[in-house]
Amino acid sequence: MPIVMSESVPKGRGLTILFELEDLARTRFASAPLPMYELVFTMHSGNWDRLLLPQIRPLAELVRPGRFIPDFFNSARPDFDDAVRQVLEVPSTRVRDQIASMLGTTSPWLRSFAAGTPTSRQDLRSAFHSGFRDLLGPNWPQTRQGFDAEVRLRSSQAVTRGLGELLGHLHPSISWTSPALHVELGWDTEISLRGTGMLIVPVLNGLTRPAVSMFAEPQPLLFYPVTAPQPSGASLELALGRTRTLVLRALTSERTTTELAKHVGISLPTASQHATALRTAGFVSTHRNGRSVRHRLTRRGWELLN
């Protein structure tokens, strides 16, 4: 079963998950943000810079907005390298079946990946690392901070309200009526956990509604969106000015001067001037890549934003 996203449906429709006493005892929160899911949900949202497509094309071919997410992406490992290794070790027969049923072998690369060729697996490995670096890496400290704050809050609620009450208030499309958890989906079905419990996963990137992966191992997964904490901008804008603050925030992802100007909505000379000033102050690093000059925040720049 693929990773299924929640939908806005008439009240009462959807997935009913039956809990036994042992399931409640084994249900827990993830101990850290799960980078594979944070990346996959970001890709699935479609809310990413298309200038990155050449580096992450294999991932973009497998995770498409509006389509089911293949469950061979299931990896609840908090270390990204371990998660990538787990996904790439999924048997080719399982990969082939899911691509054929969900995506179709509509490109040469998909056909190669479905056939299990080593070069296609290496292509996906490279896309994973590029995607994490460019889409999640700049904000990963905030992701961890937001995740930890959410789990602390929910742990406190579990003590005062009980686990069932807590589960029913994770999101408006999730409800609890003992002994069942209900998640709004586009069809009606009922599943018993049979003693496995569930892993509850707060997600801070890409996800706007809950999602479920009922046949993940060793236990099913329930994802729900959390809003990441945003750095306060008022004092920063007073110190740097609005445009320079926007430039600083834009450089949480590496950009050329042209890309920076387009992203912020300023002229190329103005973008170059602001990047130079921030580099002189130690907040931005600059390096040449071929004919282009690329800028990115330094550690000091990250500290200033946070």
Side-chain angles (χ1 to χ4, degrees):
M1 180 179 177
I3 301 171
V4 181
M5 315 293 287
S6 172
E7 302 174 26
S8 181
V9 298
K11 192 170 182 63
R13 290 195 61 192
L15 172 65
T16 299
I17 306 168
L18 298 176
F19 280 69
E20 300 173 2
L21 183 59
E22 192 173 2
D23 295 310
L24 287 171
R26 292 183 175 177
T27 292
R28 59 192 177 92
F29 277 79
S31 60
L34 303 183
M36 181 59 66
Y37 296 112
E38 297 280 349
L39 177 57
V40 166
F41 288 132
T42 297
M43 292 295 301
H44 192 262
S45 73
N47 187 24
W48 46 273
D49 192 339
R50 291 305 184 271
L51 292 172
L52 299 174
L53 186 59
Q55 288 77 42
I56 60 175
R57 187 177 298 276
L59 189 54
E61 291 203 36
L62 290 168
V63 183
R64 305 178 191 175
R67 298 285 192 95
F68 285 127
I69 301 173
D71 71 5
F72 56 73
F73 283 109
N74 277 330
S75 178
R77 297 182 180 179
D79 180 84
F80 187 60
D81 289 335
D82 287 346
V84 169
R85 192 176 304 113
Q86 183 178 19
V87 172
L88 294 177
E89 289 174 353
V90 171
S92 295
T93 51
R94 181 175 161 198
V95 170
R96 184 168 57 248
D97 290 345
Q98 292 210 5
I99 289 178
S101 63
M102 293 181 211
L103 303 173
T105 50
T106 55
S107 75
W109 185 85
L110 271 180
R111 289 193 290 272
S112 177
F113 186 65
T117 62
T119 54
S120 66
R121 295 289 175 112
Q122 184 56 46
D123 289 341
L124 183 57
R125 182 191 300 276
S126 298
F128 274 139
H129 286 286
S130 295
F132 183 85
R133 181 192 66 227
D134 294 327
L135 296 175
L136 299 182
N139 295 315
W140 196 246
Q142 290 96 314
T143 295
R144 291 196 62 93
Q145 177 186 354
F147 182 95
D148 291 344
E150 174 69 10
V151 171
R152 285 196 301 270
L153 171 65
R154 298 301 184 178
S155 298
S156 174
Q157 292 174 343
V159 171
T160 57
R161 297 183 181 181
L163 184 56
E165 180 74 8
L166 166 65
L167 293 175
H169 286 83
L170 293 174
H171 189 270
S173 63
I174 301 174
S175 59
W176 170 264
T177 303
S178 184
L181 190 70
H182 185 81
V183 184
E184 294 175 1
L185 294 176
W187 66 88
D188 293 318
T189 188
E190 184 175 284
I191 295 177
S192 176
L193 292 176
R194 301 185 184 280
T196 64
M198 294 193 80
L199 184 67
I200 312 300
V201 186
V203 177
L204 288 96
N205 296 281
L207 198 64
T208 58
R209 294 183 63 84
V212 293
S213 184
M214 289 306 302
F215 297 111
E217 295 293 342
Q219 60 188 158
L221 304 166
L222 172 65
F223 309 94
Y224 70 96
V226 178
T227 301
Q230 298 297 318
S232 173
S235 60
L236 195 57
E237 288 190 14
L238 284 174
L240 297 181
R242 184 174 184 275
T243 301
R244 191 159 294 177
T245 301
L246 290 174
V247 169
L248 190 72
R249 287 177 176 156
L251 293 179
T252 56
S253 295
E254 185 175 274
R255 302 182 193 274
T256 65
T257 308
T258 301
E259 292 165 356
L260 176 62
K262 182 178 179 181
H263 183 85
V264 178
I266 55 179
S267 69
L268 190 60
T270 301
S272 178
Q273 179 185 8
H274 284 301
T276 299
L278 290 168
R279 182 177 69 252
T280 302
F283 299 131
V284 166
S285 64
T286 299
H287 68 275
R288 183 169 293 278
N289 184 5
R291 295 184 176 181
S292 65
V293 175
R294 305 190 69 85
H295 313 281
R296 192 168 196 161
L297 286 190
T298 62
R299 180 180 294 276
R300 188 178 178 192
W302 275 110
E303 290 172 350
L304 180 64
L305 275 183
N306 293 289

